[in-house]
Amino acid sequence: MSRSKKIIGLVLAVVMILSTLTVAFAEAYNPDDLTASITIAATETTLEPGETATITVTATTNYYVSTFRIPVFYDNAYISVSNITAPITGSAGTTGDSSYYTGTGLSSTDTGIVAVNYVADFGDSLSILNNTTVLTFTITALSTTNVTDVIRCESGSIKTSTNPNGALYIGANSSGNGTMDSTGLNNENIDISNASVTITIPGGGTPELILTATGTSYGTVIDRVSTCNADGFVYGIPVDEGASIVDYVTTDYGSVNVVTNGQGLESTGAEIQLIDTDGSTVLETYYFVMIGDVNGDGFIDAVDASAVDAVGSYSDFSFDATDGSAEGLAADTNGDGFIDAVDASAVEAVASYTDFPSQQDLATAVAAGRGI
Protein backbone atom coordinates (compact mmCIF):
# COMPACT_ATOMS: atom_id res chain seq x y z
CA MET A 1 0.00 0.00 0.00
CA SER A 2 1.38 3.42 -0.94
CA ARG A 3 2.19 6.00 1.67
CA SER A 4 -0.56 8.31 0.39
CA LYS A 5 -3.19 5.59 0.75
CA LYS A 6 -2.07 4.97 4.34
CA ILE A 7 -2.44 8.66 5.16
CA ILE A 8 -5.87 8.79 3.54
CA GLY A 9 -6.93 5.69 5.49
CA LEU A 10 -5.74 7.23 8.77
CA VAL A 11 -7.60 10.47 8.09
CA LEU A 12 -10.80 8.58 7.28
CA ALA A 13 -10.47 6.57 10.49
CA VAL A 14 -10.12 9.75 12.58
CA VAL A 15 -13.11 11.30 10.82
CA MET A 16 -15.19 8.21 11.54
CA ILE A 17 -14.22 8.28 15.24
CA LEU A 18 -15.08 11.94 15.55
CA SER A 19 -18.35 11.39 13.73
CA THR A 20 -19.22 8.53 16.07
CA LEU A 21 -18.48 10.67 19.14
CA THR A 22 -20.55 13.53 17.73
CA VAL A 23 -23.49 11.23 17.04
CA ALA A 24 -23.12 9.67 20.49
CA PHE A 25 -23.23 13.10 22.18
CA ALA A 26 -26.14 14.19 20.02
CA GLU A 27 -28.03 11.09 21.10
CA ALA A 28 -27.08 11.69 24.75
CA TYR A 29 -28.07 15.36 24.72
CA ASN A 30 -31.72 15.72 25.61
CA PRO A 31 -33.04 19.27 26.12
CA ASP A 32 -35.81 17.80 28.26
CA ASP A 33 -33.36 16.09 30.61
CA LEU A 34 -30.97 18.83 31.64
CA THR A 35 -29.60 18.43 35.16
CA ALA A 36 -27.37 20.67 37.24
CA SER A 37 -26.29 20.90 40.87
CA ILE A 38 -24.60 23.48 43.06
CA THR A 39 -22.45 22.88 46.14
CA ILE A 40 -21.22 25.38 48.74
CA ALA A 41 -18.30 24.64 51.08
CA ALA A 42 -16.27 26.59 53.67
CA THR A 43 -12.66 26.25 54.83
CA GLU A 44 -13.84 26.86 58.42
CA THR A 45 -17.32 26.56 59.91
CA THR A 46 -16.67 28.04 63.38
CA LEU A 47 -15.37 31.61 63.52
CA GLU A 48 -14.69 34.03 66.33
CA PRO A 49 -15.41 37.72 65.61
CA GLY A 50 -12.80 38.99 63.17
CA GLU A 51 -11.82 35.55 61.93
CA THR A 52 -12.22 34.66 58.25
CA ALA A 53 -13.02 31.68 56.03
CA THR A 54 -13.12 31.09 52.30
CA ILE A 55 -16.42 30.08 50.70
CA THR A 56 -16.27 28.05 47.49
CA VAL A 57 -19.23 27.54 45.15
CA THR A 58 -19.01 24.72 42.59
CA ALA A 59 -21.39 23.56 39.86
CA THR A 60 -21.94 20.36 37.89
CA THR A 61 -24.02 19.91 34.71
CA ASN A 62 -24.72 17.22 32.11
CA TYR A 63 -24.70 19.80 29.30
CA TYR A 64 -22.61 22.57 27.74
CA VAL A 65 -23.21 25.77 29.67
CA SER A 66 -23.81 29.00 27.75
CA THR A 67 -24.92 31.24 30.61
CA PHE A 68 -25.45 31.19 34.34
CA ARG A 69 -26.25 33.37 37.31
CA ILE A 70 -25.81 31.96 40.80
CA PRO A 71 -26.71 34.16 43.79
CA VAL A 72 -25.60 33.14 47.30
CA PHE A 73 -27.37 34.59 50.34
CA TYR A 74 -26.17 35.29 53.88
CA ASP A 75 -27.22 37.27 56.98
CA ASN A 76 -25.36 40.57 56.71
CA ALA A 77 -25.70 41.28 60.44
CA TYR A 78 -23.39 38.38 61.26
CA ILE A 79 -20.75 38.32 58.52
CA SER A 80 -19.18 40.60 55.93
CA VAL A 81 -17.92 39.60 52.48
CA SER A 82 -14.76 40.47 50.54
CA ASN A 83 -12.37 39.10 47.89
CA ILE A 84 -15.10 38.00 45.48
CA THR A 85 -13.56 35.96 42.67
CA ALA A 86 -15.19 34.38 39.60
CA PRO A 87 -12.51 32.10 38.08
CA ILE A 88 -14.27 31.10 34.82
CA THR A 89 -13.16 33.32 31.94
CA GLY A 90 -15.96 35.68 30.99
CA SER A 91 -17.71 35.45 34.36
CA ALA A 92 -17.90 38.16 37.00
CA GLY A 93 -18.61 38.32 40.72
CA THR A 94 -21.03 40.85 42.16
CA THR A 95 -22.90 41.76 45.31
CA GLY A 96 -26.14 41.84 43.33
CA ASP A 97 -29.07 44.24 43.43
CA SER A 98 -32.76 44.16 44.35
CA SER A 99 -33.63 41.94 41.37
CA TYR A 100 -31.64 39.07 42.88
CA TYR A 101 -34.13 38.78 45.75
CA THR A 102 -37.09 38.04 43.46
CA GLY A 103 -39.09 35.03 44.65
CA THR A 104 -37.18 34.62 47.94
CA GLY A 105 -39.16 36.85 50.27
CA LEU A 106 -35.85 38.34 51.42
CA SER A 107 -34.50 41.87 51.23
CA SER A 108 -31.22 43.74 51.54
CA THR A 109 -32.30 44.95 54.99
CA ASP A 110 -30.96 41.82 56.65
CA THR A 111 -29.76 39.57 53.82
CA GLY A 112 -26.66 40.07 51.70
CA ILE A 113 -25.89 38.55 48.31
CA VAL A 114 -22.75 37.39 46.53
CA ALA A 115 -23.34 36.29 42.95
CA VAL A 116 -21.56 35.19 39.81
CA ASN A 117 -22.77 36.00 36.27
CA TYR A 118 -21.64 34.44 32.99
CA VAL A 119 -22.81 34.88 29.40
CA ALA A 120 -20.91 33.28 26.51
CA ASP A 121 -20.41 35.12 23.23
CA PHE A 122 -21.21 33.43 19.94
CA GLY A 123 -18.24 31.34 18.90
CA ASP A 124 -16.95 30.88 22.48
CA SER A 125 -15.83 27.42 23.51
CA LEU A 126 -18.25 26.01 26.12
CA SER A 127 -17.75 23.48 28.89
CA ILE A 128 -19.72 20.84 30.72
CA LEU A 129 -19.24 21.71 34.40
CA ASN A 130 -17.87 18.94 36.60
CA ASN A 131 -17.65 20.13 40.20
CA THR A 132 -16.21 23.29 38.68
CA THR A 133 -15.47 26.26 40.92
CA VAL A 134 -17.59 29.19 39.74
CA LEU A 135 -17.26 31.55 42.70
CA THR A 136 -15.12 32.11 45.80
CA PHE A 137 -15.25 34.81 48.43
CA THR A 138 -14.02 35.54 51.93
CA ILE A 139 -16.32 35.94 54.92
CA THR A 140 -15.43 37.72 58.15
CA ALA A 141 -17.36 37.05 61.36
CA LEU A 142 -18.97 40.16 62.86
CA SER A 143 -21.33 38.96 65.56
CA THR A 144 -20.55 39.46 69.23
CA THR A 145 -23.22 37.00 70.36
CA ASN A 146 -23.57 33.27 69.89
CA VAL A 147 -25.23 32.84 66.47
CA THR A 148 -25.25 30.72 63.34
CA ASP A 149 -25.48 31.95 59.77
CA VAL A 150 -26.41 29.75 56.82
CA ILE A 151 -24.67 30.73 53.59
CA ARG A 152 -26.91 29.26 50.92
CA CYS A 153 -28.72 29.31 47.62
CA GLU A 154 -32.47 29.92 47.85
CA SER A 155 -34.94 27.65 46.06
CA GLY A 156 -37.22 30.63 45.59
CA SER A 157 -34.62 32.33 43.43
CA ILE A 158 -34.45 29.54 40.79
CA LYS A 159 -35.68 30.75 37.40
CA THR A 160 -38.58 28.60 36.23
CA SER A 161 -41.63 28.89 34.01
CA THR A 162 -43.62 29.98 37.05
CA ASN A 163 -40.84 32.24 38.34
CA PRO A 164 -39.45 33.74 35.12
CA ASN A 165 -37.70 36.57 36.96
CA GLY A 166 -35.75 34.24 39.25
CA ALA A 167 -32.09 35.14 39.52
CA LEU A 168 -30.64 31.60 39.68
CA TYR A 169 -30.21 29.76 36.39
CA ILE A 170 -27.66 27.64 34.53
CA GLY A 171 -28.50 27.80 30.83
CA ALA A 172 -27.59 25.24 28.17
CA ASN A 173 -26.42 25.84 24.61
CA SER A 174 -29.68 24.84 22.92
CA SER A 175 -27.90 23.07 20.06
CA GLY A 176 -26.04 20.84 22.51
CA ASN A 177 -22.68 21.78 21.03
CA GLY A 178 -19.47 22.79 22.74
CA THR A 179 -19.29 26.06 20.80
CA MET A 180 -21.76 28.84 21.46
CA ASP A 181 -23.91 28.98 18.33
CA SER A 182 -27.50 29.36 19.51
CA THR A 183 -29.69 30.98 22.12
CA GLY A 184 -29.26 29.53 25.61
CA LEU A 185 -31.87 27.05 26.80
CA ASN A 186 -33.07 27.53 30.39
CA ASN A 187 -32.74 24.61 32.79
CA GLU A 188 -35.29 24.39 35.60
CA ASN A 189 -33.87 21.20 37.13
CA ILE A 190 -31.17 22.59 39.45
CA ASP A 191 -30.33 20.67 42.63
CA ILE A 192 -29.31 22.97 45.50
CA SER A 193 -29.63 20.42 48.32
CA ASN A 194 -25.89 20.77 48.98
CA ALA A 195 -25.80 24.50 48.32
CA SER A 196 -25.58 25.60 51.94
CA VAL A 197 -23.06 25.71 54.76
CA THR A 198 -23.68 26.70 58.38
CA ILE A 199 -21.21 29.07 60.01
CA THR A 200 -21.16 29.14 63.82
CA ILE A 201 -20.00 32.34 65.50
CA PRO A 202 -19.61 31.80 69.26
CA GLY A 203 -19.36 35.56 69.51
CA GLY A 204 -16.38 35.99 71.76
CA GLY A 205 -18.22 35.11 74.97
CA THR A 206 -16.14 34.18 78.00
CA PRO A 207 -15.99 30.44 78.67
CA GLU A 208 -17.43 29.62 82.08
CA LEU A 209 -18.26 26.33 83.75
CA ILE A 210 -22.02 26.22 84.35
CA LEU A 211 -24.65 23.63 85.20
CA THR A 212 -26.73 21.84 82.60
CA ALA A 213 -30.47 21.59 83.09
CA THR A 214 -29.86 18.15 84.60
CA GLY A 215 -27.24 19.52 86.99
CA THR A 216 -29.48 22.38 88.06
CA SER A 217 -32.41 20.05 88.67
CA TYR A 218 -30.32 17.59 90.67
CA GLY A 219 -28.60 20.19 92.82
CA THR A 220 -25.04 19.85 91.53
CA VAL A 221 -22.65 22.36 93.12
CA ILE A 222 -19.84 24.30 91.45
CA ASP A 223 -17.84 25.41 94.49
CA ARG A 224 -15.54 28.38 93.85
CA VAL A 225 -15.64 29.43 97.52
CA SER A 226 -13.79 26.64 99.32
CA THR A 227 -10.00 26.67 99.39
CA CYS A 228 -8.90 24.56 96.45
CA ASN A 229 -5.63 23.59 94.83
CA ALA A 230 -7.34 24.11 91.48
CA ASP A 231 -10.01 26.61 90.39
CA GLY A 232 -12.76 24.99 92.41
CA PHE A 233 -14.68 21.83 93.24
CA VAL A 234 -17.69 20.18 91.64
CA TYR A 235 -19.86 17.82 93.68
CA GLY A 236 -23.41 16.55 93.77
CA ILE A 237 -23.33 14.24 90.73
CA PRO A 238 -24.53 10.64 91.24
CA VAL A 239 -21.54 8.94 89.63
CA ASP A 240 -22.10 6.07 92.05
CA GLU A 241 -25.34 5.45 90.16
CA GLY A 242 -23.67 5.55 86.75
CA ALA A 243 -24.05 9.25 85.96
CA SER A 244 -21.56 11.02 83.69
CA ILE A 245 -20.05 14.33 84.78
CA VAL A 246 -20.53 16.00 81.37
CA ASP A 247 -24.29 15.54 81.68
CA TYR A 248 -24.27 17.85 84.72
CA VAL A 249 -21.78 20.61 83.83
CA THR A 250 -21.18 22.44 80.56
CA THR A 251 -20.21 25.80 79.03
CA ASP A 252 -21.81 28.08 76.46
CA TYR A 253 -18.42 28.84 74.92
CA GLY A 254 -15.56 26.42 74.42
CA SER A 255 -15.96 22.90 75.80
CA VAL A 256 -15.66 20.71 78.88
CA ASN A 257 -13.23 17.80 79.19
CA VAL A 258 -13.17 15.24 82.01
CA VAL A 259 -9.90 13.58 83.02
CA THR A 260 -10.48 10.49 85.15
CA ASN A 261 -8.67 10.09 88.47
CA GLY A 262 -5.66 7.88 89.11
CA GLN A 263 -7.91 4.82 89.19
CA GLY A 264 -9.40 5.67 85.80
CA LEU A 265 -12.73 6.68 87.32
CA GLU A 266 -15.05 9.66 87.34
CA SER A 267 -14.96 9.91 91.09
CA THR A 268 -13.07 11.89 93.71
CA GLY A 269 -9.93 13.37 92.20
CA ALA A 270 -11.13 13.42 88.59
CA GLU A 271 -10.45 16.72 86.83
CA ILE A 272 -13.00 18.82 84.97
CA GLN A 273 -11.23 21.04 82.45
CA LEU A 274 -12.76 24.15 80.91
CA ILE A 275 -11.40 24.37 77.36
CA ASP A 276 -11.17 27.61 75.37
CA THR A 277 -12.89 28.03 72.01
CA ASP A 278 -9.64 27.07 70.26
CA GLY A 279 -10.35 23.50 71.37
CA SER A 280 -7.04 23.00 73.20
CA THR A 281 -6.24 25.69 75.78
CA VAL A 282 -7.21 24.70 79.35
CA LEU A 283 -8.60 27.83 81.02
CA GLU A 284 -9.70 26.35 84.34
CA THR A 285 -9.50 23.05 86.19
CA TYR A 286 -11.96 21.81 88.81
CA TYR A 287 -11.65 18.80 91.09
CA PHE A 288 -14.62 16.48 91.13
CA VAL A 289 -15.62 15.12 94.53
CA MET A 290 -17.88 12.18 95.32
CA ILE A 291 -18.58 13.07 98.93
CA GLY A 292 -17.64 10.19 101.24
CA ASP A 293 -15.45 8.48 98.65
CA VAL A 294 -12.09 9.60 99.99
CA ASN A 295 -9.84 7.28 98.00
CA GLY A 296 -11.67 7.76 94.67
CA ASP A 297 -12.51 4.13 93.98
CA GLY A 298 -16.18 4.96 93.33
CA PHE A 299 -17.49 3.47 96.59
CA ILE A 300 -18.11 4.64 100.13
CA ASP A 301 -16.84 1.71 102.15
CA ALA A 302 -14.75 0.62 105.11
CA VAL A 303 -11.56 1.95 103.52
CA ASP A 304 -13.04 5.44 103.40
CA ALA A 305 -14.47 5.15 106.91
CA SER A 306 -11.05 4.15 108.26
CA ALA A 307 -9.33 7.05 106.46
CA VAL A 308 -11.81 9.62 107.79
CA ASP A 309 -11.57 8.21 111.33
CA ALA A 310 -7.75 8.32 111.19
CA VAL A 311 -7.74 12.00 110.23
CA GLY A 312 -10.52 12.83 112.67
CA SER A 313 -8.67 11.14 115.55
CA TYR A 314 -5.38 12.88 114.67
CA SER A 315 -3.57 9.67 113.82
CA ASP A 316 -3.20 10.62 110.16
CA PHE A 317 -2.36 14.03 108.73
CA SER A 318 -2.24 13.28 104.99
CA PHE A 319 -5.16 15.62 104.28
CA ASP A 320 -7.63 17.90 106.02
CA ALA A 321 -10.84 19.79 105.26
CA THR A 322 -9.14 23.05 104.30
CA ASP A 323 -5.98 21.95 102.50
CA GLY A 324 -7.59 22.38 99.06
CA SER A 325 -7.51 18.67 98.26
CA ALA A 326 -10.35 16.62 96.80
CA GLU A 327 -9.82 14.04 99.56
CA GLY A 328 -10.26 16.68 102.25
CA LEU A 329 -13.58 17.87 100.83
CA ALA A 330 -14.78 14.28 100.31
CA ALA A 331 -14.17 13.56 104.01
CA ASP A 332 -15.87 16.72 105.32
CA THR A 333 -19.37 15.33 104.87
CA ASN A 334 -21.21 18.22 106.54
CA GLY A 335 -19.08 21.05 105.17
CA ASP A 336 -18.20 22.57 108.56
CA GLY A 337 -14.51 22.86 107.71
CA PHE A 338 -13.41 20.03 110.02
CA ILE A 339 -12.88 16.31 109.66
CA ASP A 340 -14.00 14.85 112.93
CA ALA A 341 -16.06 12.15 114.64
CA VAL A 342 -19.25 13.44 113.00
CA ASP A 343 -17.82 12.83 109.54
CA ALA A 344 -16.34 9.47 110.54
CA SER A 345 -19.72 8.37 111.84
CA ALA A 346 -21.50 9.51 108.67
CA VAL A 347 -19.12 7.63 106.37
CA GLU A 348 -19.24 4.53 108.59
CA ALA A 349 -23.05 4.56 108.46
CA VAL A 350 -22.99 4.54 104.65
CA ALA A 351 -20.23 1.92 104.54
CA SER A 352 -22.16 -0.39 106.88
CA TYR A 353 -25.42 0.08 104.98
CA THR A 354 -27.25 1.72 107.88
CA ASP A 355 -27.69 5.05 106.06
CA PHE A 356 -28.30 5.71 102.37
CA PRO A 357 -27.84 9.42 101.58
CA SER A 358 -27.64 10.35 97.91
CA GLN A 359 -24.91 12.56 96.49
CA GLN A 360 -27.65 15.17 96.13
CA ASP A 361 -28.30 15.01 99.90
CA LEU A 362 -24.62 15.15 100.76
CA ALA A 363 -23.92 18.02 98.32
CA THR A 364 -26.75 20.06 99.80
CA ALA A 365 -25.33 19.58 103.29
CA VAL A 366 -21.77 20.44 102.30
CA ALA A 367 -22.81 23.53 100.32
CA ALA A 368 -24.89 24.77 103.22
CA GLY A 369 -22.05 24.16 105.68
CA ARG A 370 -19.64 26.09 103.49
CA GLY A 371 -22.02 28.96 102.90
CA ILE A 372 -22.57 28.35 99.20
Side-chain angles (χ1 to χ4, degrees), residues 325-342:
S325 69
E327 295 88 348
L329 184 63
D332 182 17
T333 59
N334 60 2
D336 65 356
F338 301 96
I339 299 173
D340 52 24
V342 174

Side-chain angles (χ1 to χ4, degrees), residues 352-364:
S352 61
Y353 304 101
T354 58
D355 193 13
F356 304 90
S358 67
Q359 286 298 305
Q360 181 183 44
D361 298 330
L362 293 169
T364 299

Side-chain angles (χ1 to χ4, degrees), residues 223 226-235 245 259-262 265-272 285-297 304 307-308 311 318-333 339 359 366 370:
D223 181 353
S226 300
T227 299
C228 182
N229 297 332
D231 294 287
F233 295 106
V234 174
Y235 44 90
I245 292 173
V259 180
T260 56
N261 64 18
L265 300 173
E266 288 191 5
S267 193
T268 300
E271 293 184 0
I272 302 171
T285 299
Y286 295 79
Y287 290 144
F288 176 71
V289 176
M290 176 179 161
I291 298 170
D293 178 22
V294 178
N295 67 350
D297 65 356
D304 301 302
V308 175
V311 172
S318 57
F319 59 86
D320 66 54
T322 59
D323 67 356
S325 69
E327 295 88 348
L329 184 63
D332 182 17
T333 59
I339 299 173
Q359 286 298 305
V366 170
R370 299 202 169 212

Side-chain angles (χ1 to χ4, degrees), residues 197-233:
V197 62
T198 299
I199 305 298
T200 300
I201 307 172
T206 302
E208 179 184 9
L209 191 69
I210 60 175
L211 298 179
T212 64
T214 300
T216 299
S217 175
Y218 187 79
T220 300
V221 177
I222 299 175
D223 181 353
R224 299 183 178 92
V225 175
S226 300
T227 299
C228 182
N229 297 332
D231 294 287
F233 295 106

Side-chain angles (χ1 to χ4, degrees), residues 75-287:
D75 192 319
N76 54 24
Y78 300 151
I79 64 173
S80 63
V81 167
S82 61
N83 302 325
I84 302 171
T85 303
I88 293 180
T89 302
S91 65
T94 179
T95 53
D97 55 44
S98 59
S99 66
Y100 287 71
Y101 295 95
T102 301
T104 65
L106 305 172
S107 72
S108 59
T109 302
D110 54 13
T111 306
I113 291 176
V114 184
V116 57
N117 299 321
Y118 169 72
V119 179
D121 291 328
F122 278 86
D124 283 356
S125 178
L126 305 179
S127 298
I128 297 175
L129 303 181
N130 182 17
N131 198 32
T132 304
T133 298
V134 296
L135 176 67
T136 64
F137 55 94
T138 300
I139 60 170
T140 302
L142 301 177
S143 178
T144 56
T145 57
N146 189 12
V147 297
T148 57
D149 189 2
V150 181
I151 300 174
R152 76 278 183 191
C153 289
E154 288 278 348
S155 59
S157 71
I158 298 176
K159 183 176 183 179
T160 65
S161 57
T162 57
N163 184 30
N165 295 318
L168 196 166
Y169 53 83
I170 305 178
N173 194 27
S174 59
S175 68
N177 295 326
T179 300
M180 181 62 180
D181 60 7
S182 58
T183 303
L185 182 67
N186 186 44
N187 170 32
E188 298 188 4
N189 187 21
I190 301 176
D191 178 9
I192 61 169
S193 59
N194 292 313
S196 68
V197 62
T198 299
I199 305 298
T200 300
I201 307 172
T206 302
E208 179 184 9
L209 191 69
I210 60 175
L211 298 179
T212 64
T214 300
T216 299
S217 175
Y218 187 79
T220 300
V221 177
I222 299 175
D223 181 353
R224 299 183 178 92
V225 175
S226 300
T227 299
C228 182
N229 297 332
D231 294 287
F233 295 106
V234 174
Y235 44 90
I237 298 177
V239 293
D240 54 332
E241 300 174 16
S244 177
I245 292 173
V246 293
D247 291 331
Y248 289 74
V249 293
T250 187
T251 180
D252 285 336
Y253 304 97
S255 59
V256 172
N257 179 52
V258 175
V259 180
T260 56
N261 64 18
Q263 301 185 61
L265 300 173
E266 288 191 5
S267 193
T268 300
E271 293 184 0
I272 302 171
Q273 298 175 335
L274 179 64
I275 309 297
D276 203 355
T277 53
D278 63 6
S280 60
T281 303
V282 178
L283 298 176
E284 295 178 344
T285 299
Y286 295 79
Y287 290 144

